[in-house]
């Protein structure tokens, strides 16, 4: 079940962070390669193949002849069990005339169900590796013949060992490096998927809309062409006019304070004015964020001053570089800004502004950290929540929505900003 992210988002996540994971993969390859060089040890193996057989006299009784297979198997298993013994290792080293420390181990393995046995020696002495393997075969033949004198045993070396190829530290480093690259890919996949699954921020507008039963009125890509953004604001305009009506007020409330709702309000205001509607951009965000410079607005008296002296919204607002758009800053609040926004004076001011302008877009500070939005929720015809893709946690968004509904806000929907595609 999809909770916060779709499978396509997993793909986009790895695509966005591809260079980071590439660095991890390459780093693993380099580390594995360097470790291989540091711990490189030349270990050679050589294998001789022997045939174990018993000779039975032609005049032997039938019962004795029938036991041939069993006797041969006993000798075969004895040879296999004898191979890894320390005593045999020392005798083979002496027989081959090499330092016993250079002969590390001897192993024996039966080939299928035959009477053939592979004898493999491990050593750091490449030049004498084949000699040691053949010496091991000869020593085992003598040992088994001494233990089982009758019937006579025959052990033949049918494949003599060959001198192993020289081991290269460079080749070892390359192989380890490739292994490190594979390990890096696996680690990157695991870490990436874990990061996605543990990230409960909003990344899927459709899921939020269905889960919370509220419409998504707009989705704005982080890197979109100007015309694409304008088209998205045209869609938002169509949705807002249906939610609020042909005339009314809309509170625009971000859940988190990273970017606020100012840019969204500015784009929506522009989309409304190009249709001939008059719009008041009412900045009620006392946290310090402002869009005055972006709108080309002059210095206004401010909301606080207008409420204090009873000025009308048209008198208090100033014009902007966008025709049909007026702007009113928040000013400096004396005491709590939440108390100001909860006052009857503010409610009446918004209602009067709705009479003087076609639309009033009131921008408030983030709901999570400040109580302003909750206190002003009921004064407008609609409330538009603003979420940030990959930033706003779903649970925080849900809790903000619940508080605003409880405070009497008429929730129109939400928009999702900064969508990465």
């Amino acid at each position: 079940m999809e909770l916060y992210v779709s499978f396509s988002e997993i793909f986009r996540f790895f695509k966005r962070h591809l260079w980071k994971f590439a660095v991890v993969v390459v780093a693993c390859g380099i580390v594995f390669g360097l470790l291989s060089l540091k711990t490189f040890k030349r270990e050679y193996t050589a294998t001789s193949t022997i045939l174990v057989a018993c000779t039975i006299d032609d005049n032997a009784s039938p019962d004795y002849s029938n036991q041939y297979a069993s006797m041969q198997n006993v000798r075969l298993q004895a040879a296999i069990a004898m191979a890894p013994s320390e005593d045999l290792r020392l005798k083979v080293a002496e027989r081959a005339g090499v330092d016993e420390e250079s002969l590390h181990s001897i192993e024996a393995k039966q080939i299928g169900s035959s009477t053939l046995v592979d004898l493999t020696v491990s050593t750091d002495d490449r030049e004498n590796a084949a000699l040691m393997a053949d010496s091991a075969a000869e020593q085992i033949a003598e040992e088994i013949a001494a233990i089982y004198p009758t019937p006579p045993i025959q052990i033949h070396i049918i494949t003599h060992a060959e001198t192993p190829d020289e081991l290269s530290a460079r080749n070892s480093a390359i192989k380890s490096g490739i292994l490190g690259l594979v390990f890096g890919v696996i680690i990157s996949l695991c870490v990436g998927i874990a990061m996605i699954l543990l990230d409960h921020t909003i990344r899927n507008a459709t899921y939020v809309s269905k889960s919370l039963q509220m419409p998504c009125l707009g989705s704005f890509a982080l890197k979109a062409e100007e015309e694409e953004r304008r088209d998205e604001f045209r869609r938002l305009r169509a949705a807002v006019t249906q939610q609020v009506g042909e005339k009314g007020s809309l509170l625009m409330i971000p859940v988190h304070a990273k970017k606020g709702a100012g840019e969204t309000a500015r784009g929506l205001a522009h989309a409304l004015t190009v249709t001939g509607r008059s719009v008041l951009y009412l900045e009620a965000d006392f946290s310090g964020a402002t869009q005055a410079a972006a709108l080309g607005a002059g210095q206004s008296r401010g909301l606080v001053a207008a409420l204090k002296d009873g000025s009308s919204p048209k008198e208090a607002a100033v014009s902007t570089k966008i025709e049909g758009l007026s702007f009113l800053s928040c000013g400096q609040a004396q005491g709590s800004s939440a108390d100001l926004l909860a006052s009857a004076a503010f409610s009446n001011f918004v209602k009067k502004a709705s009479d003087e302008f076609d639309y009033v877009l009131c921008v408030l500070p983030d709901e999570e950290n400040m109580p302003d939005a909750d206190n002003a929720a009921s004064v407008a015809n609609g409330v538009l929540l603003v979420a940030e893709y990959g930033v706003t946690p779903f649970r925080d968004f849900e809790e903000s929505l619940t508080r605003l509904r409880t405070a009497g806000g008429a929730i129109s929907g939400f928009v999702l900003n900064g969508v990465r595609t």
Side-chain angles (χ1 to χ4, degrees):
M1 176 181 177
E2 181 181 281
L3 294 178
Y4 304 99
V5 63
S6 64
F7 288 108
S8 60
E9 173 55 31
I10 294 178
F11 174 77
R12 288 196 295 268
F13 175 85
F14 280 102
K15 184 179 179 181
R16 288 196 306 271
H17 299 282
L18 182 61
W19 71 271
K20 297 178 183 177
F21 292 121
V23 169
V24 173
V25 171
V26 172
C28 287
I30 293 173
V31 169
F32 273 57
L34 293 177
L35 286 176
S36 174
L37 288 176
K38 186 175 181 180
T39 60
F40 179 72
K41 183 179 179 182
R42 287 181 169 82
E43 185 77 13
Y44 300 97
T45 59
T47 301
S48 295
T49 303
I50 61 174
L51 172 67
V52 180
C54 292
T55 303
I56 299 180
D57 191 283
D58 293 336
N59 298 321
S61 66
D63 290 340
Y64 189 79
S65 298
N66 291 336
Q67 296 177 10
Y68 170 78
S70 176
M71 289 186 292
Q72 184 170 254
N73 185 62
V74 169
R75 286 152 179 74
L76 181 70
Q77 296 304 318
I80 294 173
M82 182 184 298
S85 68
E86 178 66 11
D87 181 60
L88 180 68
R89 186 184 73 84
L90 297 176
K91 290 180 179 178
V92 170
E94 182 179 358
R95 186 185 193 101
V98 299
D99 183 2
E100 63 183 44
E101 296 297 328
S102 66
L103 177 56
H104 301 155
S105 66
I106 304 173
E107 294 181 357
K109 182 179 179 181
Q110 183 178 2
I111 302 177
S113 57
S114 68
T115 58
L116 298 176
V117 177
D118 279 340
L119 286 173
T120 302
V121 298
S122 295
T123 177
D124 55 13
D125 185 352
R126 173 176 170 272
E127 297 298 329
N128 292 313
L131 174 61
M132 294 181 199
D134 289 345
S135 297
E138 295 167 358
Q139 186 66 34
I140 285 178
E142 292 180 3
E143 297 276 341
I144 295 299
I147 296 173
Y148 302 101
T150 56
I153 190 170
Q154 296 178 352
I155 297 182
H156 305 287
I157 301 177
I158 62 171
T159 303
H160 288 273
E162 297 181 355
T163 301
D165 295 333
E166 179 67 49
L167 294 178
S168 169
R170 179 173 175 271
N171 291 339
S172 177
I174 291 174
K175 291 178 182 179
S176 297
I178 294 173
L179 180 62
L181 294 176
V182 174
F183 179 78
V185 170
I186 295 173
I187 289 295
S188 297
L189 288 173
C190 293
V191 171
I193 292 174
M195 289 173 64
I196 294 171
L197 296 179
L198 294 175
D199 180 8
H200 292 172
T201 58
I202 293 176
R203 295 177 181 270
N204 190 325
T206 302
Y207 170 76
V208 176
S209 181
K210 290 181 179 179
S211 299
L212 303 180
Q213 297 182 347
M214 63 183 301
C216 176
L217 304 187
S219 182
F220 298 92
L222 179 65
K223 297 179 180 179
E225 299 293 335
E226 185 61 30
E227 191 57 34
E228 291 178 350
R229 288 185 62 81
R230 289 178 181 175
D231 285 343
E232 196 59 45
F233 277 115
R234 291 181 182 111
R235 295 187 183 95
L236 178 59
R237 177 185 65 199
V240 167
T241 54
Q242 288 298 314
Q243 293 289 326
V244 178
E246 286 300 320
K247 189 178 179 68
S249 55
L250 180 69
L251 300 184
M252 303 189 71
I253 305 171
V255 176
H256 272 256
K258 183 178 181 181
K259 287 189 177 180
E263 291 185 15
T264 306
R266 175 159 53 89
L268 175 59
H270 183 269
L272 289 168
T273 57
V274 296
T275 61
R277 296 177 172 95
S278 60
V279 179
L280 172 63
Y281 187 113
L282 177 57
E283 200 167 67
D285 185 352
F286 290 88
S287 66
T290 181
Q291 289 290 317
L295 292 171
Q299 187 173 1
S300 65
R301 299 176 59 198
L303 174 62
V304 175
L307 294 178
K308 187 175 182 180
D309 60 22
S311 300
S312 68
K314 269 191 177 295
E315 293 172 342
V318 295
S319 60
T320 66
K321 64 182 180 182
I322 301 174
E323 185 179 354
L325 176 61
S326 300
F327 175 80
L328 180 60
S329 64
C330 57
Q332 296 293 324
Q334 300 296 323
S336 171
S337 56
D339 294 342
L340 178 69
L341 298 177
S343 68
F346 177 71
S347 179
N348 293 332
F349 187 86
V350 173
K351 290 177 182 177
K352 192 171 183 179
S354 298
D355 294 335
E356 296 178 350
F357 297 89
D358 292 326
Y359 286 96
V360 178
L361 302 182
C362 182
V363 179
L364 291 159
D366 67 289
E367 193 281 336
E368 185 185 30
N369 294 317
M370 299 181 70
D372 297 29
D374 299 325
N375 283 273
S378 61
V379 304
N381 300 115
V383 174
L384 180 67
L385 282 170
V386 179
E388 193 75 19
Y389 177 96
V391 175
T392 306
F394 176 81
R395 294 303 177 195
D396 291 353
F397 185 88
E398 185 178 28
E399 291 171 2
S400 293
L401 174 63
T402 301
R403 286 192 292 265
L404 288 169
R405 281 175 171 167
T406 304
I411 306 298
S412 300
F414 75 98
V415 296
L416 184 60
N417 286 334
V419 177
R420 299 181 179 90
T421 56

